[in-house]
Amino acid sequence: MKINFTINKSLDSLGRVLAIIRRAKVDVKNLTITADTYVYQVTCNIDGEPDEVRWLVSKLDKLPEVLKIEEIDINH
């Protein structure tokens, strides 16, 4: 499973996002953070139960720092 999201360019925002990812019961395979002028582009490849992935996406989507989020199922 792959999750792409955009957050405000702030280390505080990045820290909150990483804390939520850490709490999720998923296995993070790869985490890429790219800095742009005003935002961070984050790509996260994860393995885990579908319920846990949905929980993670839901939690991230509720954060005001997350401007855009996209979940991609790379298994199908």
Side-chain angles (χ1 to χ4, degrees):
M1 187 70 62
K2 184 175 182 179
I3 302 172
N4 294 329
F5 53 95
T6 305
I7 60 174
N8 294 324
K9 190 173 181 181
S10 161
L11 290 179
D12 291 335
S13 298
L14 187 58
R16 280 189 280 279
V17 165
L18 292 177
I20 289 176
I21 292 172
R22 208 180 106 230
R23 284 182 26 215
K25 295 175 184 167
V26 296
D27 186 21
V28 178
K29 297 294 184 183
N30 188 8
L31 181 68
T32 306
I33 303 165
T34 306
D36 203 351
T37 306
Y38 300 107
V39 295
Y40 286 127
Q41 301 289 336
V42 182
T43 301
C44 185
N45 291 323
I46 57 174
D47 283 338
E49 296 294 322
D51 289 343
E52 291 297 325
V53 174
R54 281 193 297 274
W55 179 89
L56 176 59
V57 171
S58 173
K59 287 290 187 185
L60 291 174
D61 197 28
K62 290 177 186 173
L63 284 178
E65 295 91 353
V66 176
L67 305 173
K68 179 182 159 188
I69 189 165
E70 178 184 24
E71 178 183 353
I72 302 168
D73 186 6
I74 58 175
N75 296 328
H76 294 105

